[in-house]
Amino acid sequence: MDHCQASVKGANRTLLIAGGLFFALAAAAQFNDPDPALWMPVYGVPCILTCVASVTPAVTENILWMSLIGLDMMGTLFFLTYTIWSHGIDKSSLHDEIGRYPMSFLH
């Protein structure tokens, strides 16, 4: 492994750890939310996935891992579609809480 590959792997691991910490803090902030049972897993699952990927990068080649990522993305798209369909979207949607929630799924 040359110096360039090592620095790319180090940067990738650093970004994964930073993402994991962000999602951990976002999950912890949901304790004050009226519905933490919904939002803590929304932020907790990406936290776990990114932390596992930062510790053991080879896990991302596993079929189970790819299935988990696929399920997470399908859930994200389903919730985003449902929210837009049920509440509509207009110019002020991102200013309302219901408009910001689906955008948090786009991790």
Side-chain angles (χ1 to χ4, degrees), residues 48-94:
I48 292 167
L49 293 175
T50 54
C51 289
V52 168
S54 70
V55 173
T56 54
V59 75
T60 60
E61 304 294 324
N62 188 326
I63 189 70
L64 179 61
W65 178 267
M66 292 179 198
S67 299
L68 284 172
I69 298 296
L71 286 172
D72 184 49
M73 289 304 297
M74 285 191 312
T76 299
L77 292 175
F78 172 77
F79 186 74
L80 179 62
T81 304
Y82 169 75
T83 303
I84 290 172
W85 177 74
S86 64
H87 298 286
I89 192 164
D90 59 8
K91 292 179 183 177
S92 66
S93 291
L94 292 178

Coordinates of all heavy atoms in Angstrom, one line a residue, residues 48-94:
I48 N -24.8 3.7 14.1 CA -24.2 2.4 14.3 C -23.5 1.9 13.0 O -22.4 1.4 13.0 CB -25.3 1.4 14.7 CG1 -25.8 1.7 16.1 CG2 -24.8 -0.1 14.6 CD1 -27.0 1.0 16.5
L49 N -24.2 2.1 11.8 CA -23.6 1.7 10.6 C -22.3 2.4 10.2 O -21.4 1.8 9.8 CB -24.7 2.0 9.4 CG -25.9 1.1 9.5 CD1 -26.9 1.5 8.3 CD2 -25.6 -0.4 9.4
T50 N -22.2 3.7 10.5 CA -21.0 4.4 10.2 C -19.9 4.1 11.2 O -18.7 4.0 10.8 CB -21.2 5.9 10.2 OG1 -21.8 6.4 11.4 CG2 -22.1 6.4 9.0
C51 N -20.2 3.8 12.4 CA -19.2 3.4 13.4 C -18.7 2.1 13.1 O -17.5 1.8 13.2 CB -19.8 3.5 14.8 SG -20.1 5.2 15.4
V52 N -19.5 1.1 12.7 CA -19.1 -0.2 12.4 C -18.2 -0.1 11.1 O -17.1 -0.8 11.1 CB -20.3 -1.2 12.1 CG1 -19.8 -2.5 11.5 CG2 -21.0 -1.5 13.4
A53 N -18.6 0.6 10.1 CA -17.8 0.8 8.9 C -16.4 1.4 9.2 O -15.4 1.1 8.5 CB -18.5 1.6 7.9
S54 N -16.4 2.3 10.2 CA -15.1 3.0 10.5 C -14.1 2.0 11.2 O -12.9 2.1 11.0 CB -15.3 4.2 11.3 OG -15.7 3.9 12.6
V55 N -14.7 1.1 12.0 CA -13.8 0.2 12.7 C -13.4 -1.0 11.8 O -12.2 -1.4 11.9 CB -14.6 -0.4 14.0 CG1 -13.8 -1.4 14.7 CG2 -14.9 0.8 14.9
T56 N -14.3 -1.6 11.1 CA -14.0 -2.7 10.2 C -14.5 -2.4 8.8 O -15.6 -2.7 8.4 CB -14.7 -4.0 10.7 OG1 -16.1 -3.7 10.8 CG2 -14.1 -4.5 12.0
P57 N -13.7 -1.7 8.0 CA -14.1 -1.3 6.6 C -14.5 -2.5 5.7 O -15.3 -2.4 4.8 CB -12.9 -0.6 6.1 CG -12.1 -0.2 7.2 CD -12.4 -1.2 8.3
A58 N -13.9 -3.7 6.0 CA -14.2 -4.8 5.2 C -15.6 -5.3 5.3 O -16.1 -6.0 4.4 CB -13.3 -6.0 5.5
V59 N -16.4 -4.9 6.3 CA -17.7 -5.3 6.5 C -18.6 -4.8 5.4 O -19.7 -5.4 5.1 CB -18.3 -4.9 7.9 CG1 -18.6 -3.4 7.9 CG2 -19.5 -5.7 8.3
T60 N -18.2 -3.7 4.7 CA -19.0 -3.1 3.7 C -19.1 -4.0 2.4 O -19.9 -3.7 1.6 CB -18.5 -1.7 3.3 OG1 -17.2 -1.8 2.8 CG2 -18.6 -0.8 4.5
E61 N -18.3 -5.0 2.3 CA -18.3 -6.0 1.2 C -19.3 -7.1 1.5 O -19.6 -7.9 0.6 CB -16.9 -6.5 1.0 CG -15.9 -5.5 0.7 CD -16.1 -4.7 -0.6 OE1 -16.6 -5.3 -1.6 OE2 -15.8 -3.5 -0.6
N62 N -19.8 -7.2 2.7 CA -20.7 -8.3 3.1 C -22.1 -8.1 2.5 O -22.6 -7.0 2.5 CB -20.8 -8.4 4.6 CG -21.5 -9.6 5.1 OD1 -22.5 -10.0 4.5 ND2 -21.0 -10.0 6.2
I63 N -22.8 -9.1 2.1 CA -24.1 -9.0 1.5 C -25.2 -8.6 2.5 O -26.1 -7.9 2.2 CB -24.6 -10.4 0.8 CG1 -25.9 -10.2 0.0 CG2 -24.7 -11.5 1.8 CD1 -25.7 -9.4 -1.2
L64 N -25.0 -9.0 3.8 CA -25.9 -8.6 4.8 C -25.8 -7.1 5.1 O -26.8 -6.3 5.2 CB -25.6 -9.3 6.1 CG -26.4 -8.9 7.4 CD1 -27.9 -9.2 7.1 CD2 -26.0 -9.7 8.6
W65 N -24.6 -6.6 5.0 CA -24.3 -5.1 5.2 C -25.0 -4.3 4.0 O -25.7 -3.4 4.3 CB -22.8 -4.8 5.1 CG -22.5 -3.4 5.2 CD1 -22.3 -2.5 4.2 CD2 -22.4 -2.6 6.4 NE1 -22.1 -1.3 4.7 CE2 -22.1 -1.3 6.0 CE3 -22.5 -2.9 7.7 CZ2 -21.9 -0.3 6.9 CZ3 -22.3 -1.9 8.7 CH2 -22.0 -0.6 8.2
M66 N -24.8 -4.8 2.8 CA -25.5 -4.2 1.7 C -27.0 -4.2 1.8 O -27.7 -3.3 1.4 CB -25.0 -4.8 0.4 CG -23.5 -4.6 0.1 SD -23.1 -5.4 -1.5 CE -21.3 -5.4 -1.3
S67 N -27.5 -5.3 2.3 CA -29.0 -5.4 2.5 C -29.4 -4.4 3.5 O -30.5 -3.7 3.4 CB -29.3 -6.8 2.9 OG -29.0 -7.7 2.0
L68 N -28.7 -4.2 4.6 CA -29.1 -3.2 5.6 C -29.1 -1.8 5.1 O -30.0 -1.0 5.4 CB -28.1 -3.3 6.8 CG -28.3 -4.5 7.8 CD1 -27.2 -4.5 8.8 CD2 -29.6 -4.4 8.5
I69 N -28.1 -1.5 4.3 CA -28.0 -0.2 3.7 C -29.2 0.0 2.7 O -29.8 1.1 2.7 CB -26.6 0.0 3.0 CG1 -25.5 -0.1 4.0 CG2 -26.6 1.3 2.2 CD1 -25.5 1.0 5.0
G70 N -29.5 -1.0 2.0 CA -30.6 -0.9 1.0 C -31.9 -0.7 1.8 O -32.8 0.1 1.4
L71 N -32.1 -1.4 2.9 CA -33.3 -1.3 3.7 C -33.4 0.1 4.3 O -34.5 0.7 4.3 CB -33.4 -2.3 4.8 CG -33.8 -3.7 4.3 CD1 -33.6 -4.7 5.5 CD2 -35.2 -3.8 3.8
D72 N -32.3 0.6 4.7 CA -32.3 2.0 5.3 C -32.6 3.0 4.2 O -33.4 3.9 4.5 CB -30.9 2.3 5.8 CG -30.8 3.6 6.5 OD1 -31.7 3.9 7.4 OD2 -29.9 4.4 6.2
M73 N -32.1 2.8 3.0 CA -32.4 3.8 1.9 C -33.9 3.7 1.5 O -34.6 4.7 1.2 CB -31.5 3.6 0.7 CG -30.1 4.0 1.0 SD -30.0 5.8 1.5 CE -30.6 6.6 0.1
M74 N -34.4 2.4 1.5 CA -35.8 2.3 1.1 C -36.8 2.9 2.1 O -37.8 3.6 1.8 CB -36.2 0.8 0.9 CG -35.6 0.2 -0.4 SD -36.3 -1.4 -0.8 CE -36.1 -2.3 0.7
G75 N -36.4 2.8 3.4 CA -37.2 3.4 4.5 C -37.1 4.9 4.4 O -38.1 5.6 4.5
T76 N -36.0 5.4 4.0 CA -35.8 6.9 3.8 C -36.7 7.4 2.7 O -37.4 8.4 2.9 CB -34.3 7.2 3.5 OG1 -33.5 6.8 4.6 CG2 -34.1 8.7 3.2
L77 N -36.6 6.7 1.6 CA -37.4 7.1 0.4 C -38.9 7.0 0.7 O -39.7 7.8 0.2 CB -37.0 6.4 -0.8 CG -35.6 6.7 -1.3 CD1 -35.2 5.8 -2.5 CD2 -35.5 8.2 -1.7
F78 N -39.3 5.9 1.4 CA -40.7 5.7 1.7 C -41.2 6.9 2.6 O -42.3 7.4 2.3 CB -40.9 4.4 2.4 CG -42.3 4.2 2.9 CD1 -43.4 3.9 2.1 CD2 -42.6 4.4 4.3 CE1 -44.7 3.8 2.5 CE2 -43.9 4.3 4.7 CZ -44.9 3.9 3.9
F79 N -40.5 7.2 3.6 CA -40.9 8.2 4.5 C -41.0 9.6 3.8 O -41.9 10.4 4.0 CB -40.0 8.3 5.8 CG -40.5 9.3 6.8 CD1 -41.6 9.0 7.6 CD2 -39.9 10.5 7.0 CE1 -42.1 9.9 8.5 CE2 -40.4 11.4 7.9 CZ -41.5 11.1 8.7
L80 N -40.0 9.9 3.0 CA -39.9 11.1 2.3 C -41.1 11.2 1.3 O -41.8 12.2 1.3 CB -38.6 11.3 1.5 CG -38.5 12.5 0.6 CD1 -38.5 13.7 1.5 CD2 -37.2 12.4 -0.1
T81 N -41.4 10.1 0.6 CA -42.5 10.1 -0.3 C -43.9 10.3 0.4 O -44.7 11.0 0.0 CB -42.5 8.8 -1.1 OG1 -41.3 8.7 -1.8 CG2 -43.6 8.8 -2.2
Y82 N -44.0 9.5 1.5 CA -45.2 9.6 2.3 C -45.5 11.0 2.8 O -46.6 11.5 2.8 CB -45.2 8.6 3.5 CG -46.3 8.8 4.4 CD1 -47.6 8.4 4.1 CD2 -46.1 9.4 5.7 CE1 -48.6 8.6 5.0 CE2 -47.1 9.6 6.5 CZ -48.4 9.2 6.2 OH -49.4 9.4 7.1
T83 N -44.4 11.6 3.3 CA -44.6 13.0 3.9 C -45.0 14.0 2.9 O -45.8 14.8 3.1 CB -43.3 13.4 4.6 OG1 -42.9 12.4 5.6 CG2 -43.4 14.8 5.2
I84 N -44.3 13.9 1.7 CA -44.7 14.8 0.6 C -46.1 14.6 0.1 O -46.9 15.5 -0.1 CB -43.6 14.7 -0.5 CG1 -42.3 15.3 -0.1 CG2 -44.1 15.5 -1.8 CD1 -41.2 15.1 -1.0
W85 N -46.4 13.3 0.0 CA -47.8 13.0 -0.5 C -48.9 13.4 0.5 O -49.9 13.9 0.1 CB -47.8 11.5 -0.8 CG -49.2 11.0 -1.2 CD1 -49.8 11.2 -2.4 CD2 -50.2 10.3 -0.4 NE1 -51.0 10.6 -2.5 CE2 -51.3 10.1 -1.2 CE3 -50.2 9.8 0.9 CZ2 -52.4 9.4 -0.8 CZ3 -51.3 9.1 1.3 CH2 -52.4 8.9 0.5
S86 N -48.6 13.1 1.8 CA -49.7 13.4 2.8 C -49.8 14.9 3.1 O -50.9 15.3 3.5 CB -49.5 12.5 4.0 OG -48.3 12.9 4.6
H87 N -48.7 15.6 3.1 CA -48.7 17.0 3.5 C -48.5 18.0 2.4 O -48.6 19.2 2.6 CB -47.6 17.2 4.6 CG -47.9 16.4 5.8 ND1 -48.8 16.7 6.7 CD2 -47.2 15.3 6.3 CE1 -48.8 15.8 7.7 NE2 -47.8 14.9 7.5
G88 N -48.1 17.5 1.3 CA -47.8 18.4 0.2 C -46.5 19.1 0.4 O -45.9 19.0 1.4
I89 N -46.1 19.8 -0.6 CA -44.8 20.6 -0.5 C -45.1 21.9 -1.2 O -45.7 22.0 -2.3 CB -43.6 19.8 -1.1 CG1 -42.3 20.5 -0.8 CG2 -43.8 19.6 -2.6 CD1 -41.1 19.6 -1.0
D90 N -44.6 23.0 -0.6 CA -44.7 24.3 -1.2 C -43.5 25.1 -0.8 O -42.5 24.5 -0.3 CB -46.0 25.0 -0.7 CG -46.1 25.2 0.8 OD1 -45.1 24.9 1.5 OD2 -47.2 25.6 1.2
K91 N -43.5 26.4 -1.0 CA -42.3 27.2 -0.8 C -41.9 27.2 0.7 O -40.7 27.3 1.0 CB -42.5 28.6 -1.3 CG -42.7 28.7 -2.8 CD -42.9 30.2 -3.2 CE -43.1 30.2 -4.7 NZ -43.4 31.6 -5.1
S92 N -42.8 27.1 1.6 CA -42.5 27.2 3.0 C -42.3 25.8 3.7 O -42.2 25.8 4.9 CB -43.6 28.0 3.7 OG -44.8 27.3 3.7
S93 N -42.2 24.8 2.9 CA -42.2 23.4 3.5 C -41.0 23.2 4.4 O -41.0 22.6 5.4 CB -42.2 22.3 2.5 OG -43.5 22.3 1.9
L94 N -39.8 23.8 4.0 CA -38.6 23.6 4.8 C -38.6 24.4 6.0 O -37.8 24.3 6.9 CB -37.4 23.8 3.9 CG -37.1 22.8 2.8 CD1 -35.9 23.2 2.0 CD2 -37.0 21.4 3.4

